């Protein structure tokens, strides 16, 4: 059974860089894309981007200039960096596995979430 | 950019009742490109339905999805106590590649 375990700094100051990592247990990176999704407190879900085992990534245009995703296949880990954070980046960040079926993608396995707070 | 709208914002029902949740897209969406998720407080979302009508692994058959074009529906035939949660629809395929609706909260009357 595939599980995602994520971690990273939970408290940042404005202008710092958010850095999170998600490890894949019980399965392979192969054959899937891996995504980051965030949720501000009390609000809805926002997709940040996706990456596959080859490092091919697609980002949400609204954040593309500040977001970078990477993959370490030897450790079965995917990572997220968001630069120049502000209070608007305060959210719970989730990693999730994307499965493409019927020519479309959906998020079938999720990490536990990491609350990141940006405050001076 | 396709915008997803969900209605109602909140649905107040009792256990055993039928819940009908709507997701409307600003432009036509291929049926296979629509999914539904359930989120309980303090938890990550859980995939319920993909391809508009296919139940994910382990999802009870009281959950069903339907619709096409711009109008999609998630139906819970008989609410169980564990079904009170927030439900999100999600579309794939337009910029951004993935987007979610604002959610419908199903709470206990």
């Amino acid at each position: 059974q595939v599980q995602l375990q994520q971690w990273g700094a939970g408290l940042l100051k404005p202008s710092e860089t958010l850095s999170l990592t998600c490890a894949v247990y019980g399965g392979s990176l192969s054959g899937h894309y891996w995504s980051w999704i965030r949720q501000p407190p009390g609000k809805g879900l926002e997709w940040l981007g996706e990456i596959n085992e080859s490092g091919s990534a697609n980002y949400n245009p609204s954040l593309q200039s500040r977001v970078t995703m990477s993959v370490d296949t030897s450790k079965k880990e995917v990572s997220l960096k968001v630069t120049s954070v502000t209070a608007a980046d305060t959210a719970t960040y989730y990693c999730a596995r994307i499965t493409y079926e019927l020519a479309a993608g959906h998020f079938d396995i999720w990490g536990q979430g990491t609350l990141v707070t940006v405050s001076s | 950019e396709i915008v997803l709208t969900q209605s109602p914002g909140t649905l107040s029902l009792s256990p055993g009742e039928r819940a009908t949740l709507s997701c409307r897209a600003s432009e036509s969406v291929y049926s296979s490109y629509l999914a539904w998720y359930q989120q309980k407080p303090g938890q990550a979302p859980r995939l319920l339905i993909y391809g508009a009508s296919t139940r994910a692994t382990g999802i009870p058959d009281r959950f069903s999805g339907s619709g096409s074009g711009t109008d999609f529906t998630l139906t819970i035939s008989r609410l169980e106590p564990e079904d009170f949660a927030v439900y999100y629809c999600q579309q794939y395929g337009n910029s951004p590649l993935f987007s979610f609706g604002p959610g419908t909260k199903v709470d206990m009357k």
Side-chain angles (χ1 to χ4, degrees):
Chain A
Q1 181 178 351
V2 177
Q3 294 186 347
L4 306 181
Q5 183 72 31
Q6 54 182 106
W7 66 89
L11 181 61
L12 297 173
K13 291 182 167 50
S15 80
E16 291 185 334
T17 295
L18 179 158
S19 182
L20 298 174
T21 301
C22 174
V24 179
Y25 296 103
S28 171
L29 286 176
S30 302
H32 295 276
Y33 272 76
W34 305 86
S35 193
W36 290 94
I37 295 157
R38 70 180 182 180
Q39 185 173 36
K43 296 188 178 180
L45 301 161
E46 179 181 31
W47 175 74
L48 302 183
E50 64 171 4
I51 191 167
N52 68 4
E53 61 169 327
S54 302
S56 176
N58 297 295
Y59 300 123
N60 189 324
S62 68
L63 287 150
Q64 187 162 359
S65 62
R66 297 196 295 128
V67 170
T68 303
M69 296 181 186
S70 59
V71 61
D72 185 330
T73 55
S74 65
K75 295 182 178 179
K76 293 199 299 182
E77 293 177 356
V78 294
S79 296
L80 170 72
K81 290 190 187 302
V82 180
T83 60
S84 305
V85 297
T86 69
D89 295 308
T90 293
T92 296
Y93 287 74
Y94 296 99
C95 61
R97 187 181 80 170
I98 302 173
T99 290
Y100 280 91
E101 289 183 73
L102 306 176
H106 51 265
F107 307 99
D108 60 350
I109 298 174
W110 296 67
Q112 81 276 19
T114 302
L115 175 61
V116 176
T117 302
V118 180
S119 175
S120 55
Chain B
E1 176 184 347
I2 287 187
V3 176
L4 299 178
T5 304
Q6 291 187 244
S7 61
T10 301
L11 195 53
S12 296
L13 295 169
S14 300
E17 289 192 296
R18 182 183 187 91
T20 303
L21 287 66
S22 173
C23 176
R24 181 161 291 175
S26 58
E27 302 172 29
S28 186
V29 175
Y30 287 113
S31 294
S32 63
Y33 293 8
L34 199 287
W36 290 92
Y37 300 82
Q38 175 194 68
Q39 187 179 33
K40 298 179 182 178
Q43 296 185 17
R46 176 174 72 144
L47 176 67
L48 297 176
I49 301 284
Y50 63 93
S53 62
T54 302
R55 274 188 300 276
T57 302
I59 301 303
D61 61 6
R62 65 180 180 273
F63 291 91
S64 63
S66 64
S68 63
T70 59
D71 292 304
F72 297 87
T73 300
L74 175 70
T75 301
I76 310 170
S77 59
R78 292 178 315 279
L79 282 164
E80 298 287 341
E82 62 268 27
D83 299 336
F84 292 92
V86 179
Y87 294 83
Y88 294 95
C89 57
Q90 168 248 310
Q91 70 88 29
Y92 163 82
N94 286 271
S95 182
L97 197 55
F98 295 92
S99 62
F100 295 87
T104 289
K105 183 178 182 180
V106 179
D107 68 13
M108 202 174 296
K109 188 190 294 182

